[in-house]
Amino acid sequence: MATKRVPFWQREKYTPYLLLLPAFLILMFVVLLPLLFSLYTSFTGYRLIRPESLYDWVGLRNYRRIFTDGDFWSAFGRTILFLTIALNLEFLLGLGIALLINKITWGQRTLRTIMMFPMMFSPILVGYQFKFVFNDNIGILNNALYALGLSDGAIAWLVDKYLAMFAIIFAEVWMSTSVFAILLLAGLFAMPRDPLEAAKVDGCNSWQVFRHITLPFLMPFVFIAMTIRSLDVARAYDIVDVMTGGGPAGRTELLWTMIARTGYDNARMGQANAMAYVSILLSIAFTYYFFTKLLAARKYMGGAE
Amino acid sequence: MAEITLTNIVKNYGKLEVVHGINLDIAHNEFVVLVGPSGCGKSTTLRMIAGLEDITGGTVSIGDVVVNDLPPRKRNISMVFQNYALYPHMSVRENLGFGLKIAKQDEATIIKRVDEAADILGLDELMDRTPAELSGGQRQRVAMGRAIVRHPEAFLFDEPLSNLDAKLRVQMRTEIKKLHQKVKTTVVYVTHDQVEAMTLADRIVVMKDGYIEQVGTPMDVFNNPVNTFVASFIGSPPMNLLPATIKGKNIVFADDKSLPVPVRLTGLVRDGQEVVFGLRPDDLTPVGHGIAESGDGAKVTLDIVLSELLGTETILYTSIAGQEAQGKMFGPRIVAPGETLEFDVAMDKAHLFDAATGKSVRVE
């Protein structure tokens, strides 16, 4: 009996690969190729205004330059500082908001919706809004302080190096605290009531119940929020660019404002890509850290009923 | 290690009153079971004792202290929850020791008491596991361990066995009984399962719709139910309850058949009174298949509708005056549906309730 050979795409052992193929192709063109291309350019002296420089292989020169560049390391350190302060503030405020909203029985839905408003605005507009709030001449903050008699002169919010940093952190926190609040509120909703009551009977006061029962239960949710937000904050650009443009004198320069300036304003795309790779490694490090914490915290939650 | 006294306890949720002024004295080291159908207020009552629900009216005292306004942590009680309520992020050892740690006991005491509890409940092998890694029965044991390490004034159990499968439930029931014999303490135990109530309790409190229907020892509640609710709730299969009328010295059923009024109840009924005749299936047995021949036994002839074989006994479904009734056959043989058998009626164990009030004629 003559067996007719089945064409290979109809053979069972190839089916999974065939079905996965579209996803592979899309990922390759959309993610992998650009990544490899930018990795390649980071080893060239590629300048946007001189396309032929794309073939100007310079080896590790870009990396050597940025690693020996004090400004880069300042921006790097400032990004970590910015991230640490913003994430912790957002966590604490978000936790507070979530705990308060969880207590409310009336109007909770409405409050939850209102709470999300800041997230609905474009970061650029949030930047402009706070640029106006903190403006030393016409800003409402200075006007309010003056009218209340709390200050007698114009405070240069966006010019002083500490105050400028404070101002952009304030804007970032204002916009994104609700991410924490929403995730933690979801955690509180999912929290079983019994262990709380057991703890009360076991002798805990309210603080101890929170500290020993509620908080450990919320930690996975905290780490999820931290993972999301650390990716978000590490690539902070729009608010900073609008409010201070990385100024004064580079004192609020974060990694991505620096990368954008190097790549687009100075047209040194090769070097910008080298920086971008370093910053991506930073993001990966943070994500990995929080994800490890998340897995550790979640390990126990199987028993929560 | 204290008595618990409830005086006129009332609980409202908004305008809805769910517990209507309960009075109950629980003695030192007594095992009291609150039993009743869902929504009867038994759990609410327990949670008021624990301090997890506000008390709308009346007072709860533990020992000599009125605890109405004390938070749970100051009442020195332990509670075992239906869903175990273990702390998911702590190991078994940490779960057991948590209450002591919070109470700032020194390390040595904690270790000693935790080991002691683990020993009593056979948890030694499981000490380093987390609750997620335990089976239902093991979790329940940890929950009980957590309750005993603190040496509380009283244990409160809120339906602790209802999440376990039938076999485990029976096993854990025995363990709770043993535990109480080892660790002498006042226990308040809530369940909807009358078998648990009968087997565990020193005293049973039967509740319905936020009222206490009857308080008494298991034998008392079983033998002398004060009303038709208690009669039908306690005992399995439930007591047969058949409407009838008193005519002279006879109880006359809807189909004009009659039985004599039991000797011990004569004088408690009046001529023409509408009553409910109550008879446990154990007291309606085919001739020759009863537990003991009854003294003033009456005899009836009944058709069998259905029989359920249980091994040592068979439940016989029949009908008396158009009402379904159940009898029991001890030392059974196979009974075919449609068979007609002569039954002994143990009239000295029969009950009569007033049809209008549902109360036993003995308490009226």
Side-chain angles (χ1 to χ4, degrees), chain B residues 231-254:
Chain B
S232 61
F233 194 77
I234 301 289
S236 173
M239 187 186 281
N240 298 307
L241 293 170
L242 307 161
T245 313
I246 302 295
K247 285 190 180 144
K249 292 199 163 187
N250 286 320
I251 306 164
V252 182
F253 294 95

Side-chain angles (χ1 to χ4, degrees), chain A residues 194 197 199 202 204 212 303 305, chain B residues 47 73 83 87-89 132 139:
Chain A
D194 282 355
E197 295 190 332
D202 252 355
C204 291
H212 294 290
E305 285 179 318
Chain B
R47 293 168 58 82
R73 70 197 152 93
N83 298 320
Y87 310 126
H89 54 290
R139 286 181 201 183

Side-chain angles (χ1 to χ4, degrees), chain A residues 192-206 208 212-213 216-217 299-305, chain B residues 47 52 72-73 77-79 81 83-90 98-99 101-102 104 130-132 139 146 150:
Chain A
R193 204 183 53 169
D194 282 355
L196 296 179
E197 295 190 332
K200 281 186 206 166
V201 175
D202 252 355
C204 291
N205 58 31
S206 311
Q208 287 166 325
H212 294 290
I213 312 298
F217 183 82
K299 200 178 90 187
Y300 304 118
M301 289 306 153
E305 285 179 318
Chain B
R47 293 168 58 82
L52 295 170
R73 70 197 152 93
I77 36 119
S78 286
M79 187 154 167
F81 294 81
N83 298 320
Y84 325 127
L86 300 179
Y87 310 126
H89 54 290
M90 298 182 198
F98 182 68
K101 199 177 108 192
I102 290 298
K104 298 212 162 43
T130 60
R139 286 181 201 183
R146 197 172 59 182
R150 290 178 46 236

